[in-house]
Amino acid sequence: MLFDINKITIQQLSSLGNENIKVSTLRTDLIHPIVSGNKWFKLRFYLEEAKRLQCNTIASFGGAYSNHIVALAAACNLNGFKSVGFIRGEMNNSPSLQEAKELGMQLHYISREDYKYKEVLMEKYANNGWFWINEGGYGINGALGAATILQTKDCSSFTHIICACGTGTMLAGLLTGANENQSVIGISVLKNNYELNQLVKAILPPKTHKEFTTIHDYHFGGYAKHPIELINYMNHLFKREQVPTDIVYTSKIFYAIEKLIQQAYFKDNSNILIIHSGGLQGNRSLVPGSLVF
Ligand SMILES: *Cc1c(COP(=O)(O)O)cnc(C)c1O
């Protein structure tokens, strides 16, 4: 279970661009077949902090198909931490949770009602040897870790950097890591999540004064909603470009960028970089055979 950052590539996507606009993607999904993408970057500095504080156990929260939970289990396994996952809802044998268990994570199932009150849970399970990470890795250390995504390859020639947003941690990180003249755009995968800009601003390092844009029109009905139109798009994109995407995050951003280009949202000579943030393990919630990859 090794993460290999050297496997990341920049892939040009000729079928998404046109004569005037170039589109490429940074394939962070390639670092590991299951623990792919941004979650590993978001976790790295939390793990360092836990080590500094001499905690031997890391605890966090997530749903039954959570990329964050699987990545946390793997990262803890690799770095000699015990891990504990507080899982929303009833006992569930999803492939993601089985994987987390195999990686040594201890799971606690929490009712949807109790799950809303995380401080109460944290108090109930309070333990000096435990280091807690927010759901989805939200926080300053998460953003600083995500900033290092842009150091894996030379990304300096791109005019736009585009990512999917859940908690907004990756967007905050990309803003921190991008240079002054790059536009950073986040596509929200949650419906009506208009707090997103505030959440991003709250975790930007003090000297970051960069502008950013969030777009809220491509959630396909909301978090983890995946109508057949989206599944068809994922298959179509894979056939054209051999890029596999996930149903929760990345499919929605590639779709959004194609639509925005058609609507002339981007100026001529734009050179767009889409961050492929991984998450492919979540596709295991689909009926087998739904996807061509
Ligand atoms: C978690 C996740 C995101 C969203 O990251 P945030 O930092 O929460 O905004 C995007 N893509 C994938 C694949 C993810 O797993």
Side-chain angles (χ1 to χ4, degrees), residues 28-29 36-39 42 65-68 135-139 142-143 146 163-173 187 189-190 196 200 203 223 246 248-250 253 275-281:
T28 78
D29 59 307
S36 62
N38 77 347
K39 293 296 182 283
K42 288 203 288 184
Y65 287 91
S66 167
N67 296 327
H68 169 65
E135 186 172 28
Y138 177 75
C163 74
C165 292
T167 64
T169 307
M170 174 165 53
L171 180 61
I187 311 283
V189 304
L190 286 93
L196 179 60
V200 172
I203 55 171
Y223 186 75
D246 79 295
V248 182
Y249 295 100
T250 53
I253 50 171
I275 307 298
H276 191 318
S277 41
L280 300 173
Q281 68 87 27

Side-chain angles (χ1 to χ4, degrees), residues 149-163:
I149 290 174
L150 293 176
Q151 293 163 10
T152 59
K153 286 277 160 202
D154 180 3
C155 300
S156 58
S157 62
F158 293 98
T159 58
H160 294 77
I161 294 169
I162 319 276
C163 74

Side-chain angles (χ1 to χ4, degrees), residues 173-225:
L174 296 173
L175 265 169
T176 310
N179 47 29
E180 290 296 321
N181 39 17
Q182 291 177 316
S183 306
V184 181
I185 302 176
I187 311 283
S188 176
V189 304
L190 286 93
K191 190 173 174 179
N192 301 339
N193 183 21
Y194 299 116
E195 293 167 358
L196 179 60
N197 288 27
Q198 281 315 316
L199 290 170
V200 172
K201 283 181 191 156
I203 55 171
L204 283 175
K207 287 194 187 109
T208 318
H209 293 301
K210 282 181 211 142
E211 294 294 318
F212 63 97
T213 305
T214 55
I215 294 178
H216 296 263
D217 304 325
Y218 298 96
H219 54 71
F220 280 81
Y223 186 75
K225 295 282 191 311

Side-chain angles (χ1 to χ4, degrees), residues 230-278:
L230 187 65
I231 304 287
N232 290 343
Y233 174 74
M234 290 163 75
N235 285 331
H236 180 53
L237 176 66
F238 186 80
K239 285 180 195 156
R240 283 182 287 155
E241 300 285 359
Q242 284 71 56
V243 177
T245 48
D246 79 295
I247 53 172
V248 182
Y249 295 100
T250 53
S251 54
K252 295 179 182 178
I253 50 171
F254 286 90
Y255 181 95
I257 294 313
E258 287 208 48
K259 288 290 172 205
L260 290 168
I261 289 172
Q262 284 164 16
Q263 295 161 18
Y265 179 91
F266 297 101
K267 291 201 192 97
D268 284 357
N269 301 320
S270 291
N271 188 7
I272 299 169
L273 183 67
I274 301 176
I275 307 298
H276 191 318
S277 41

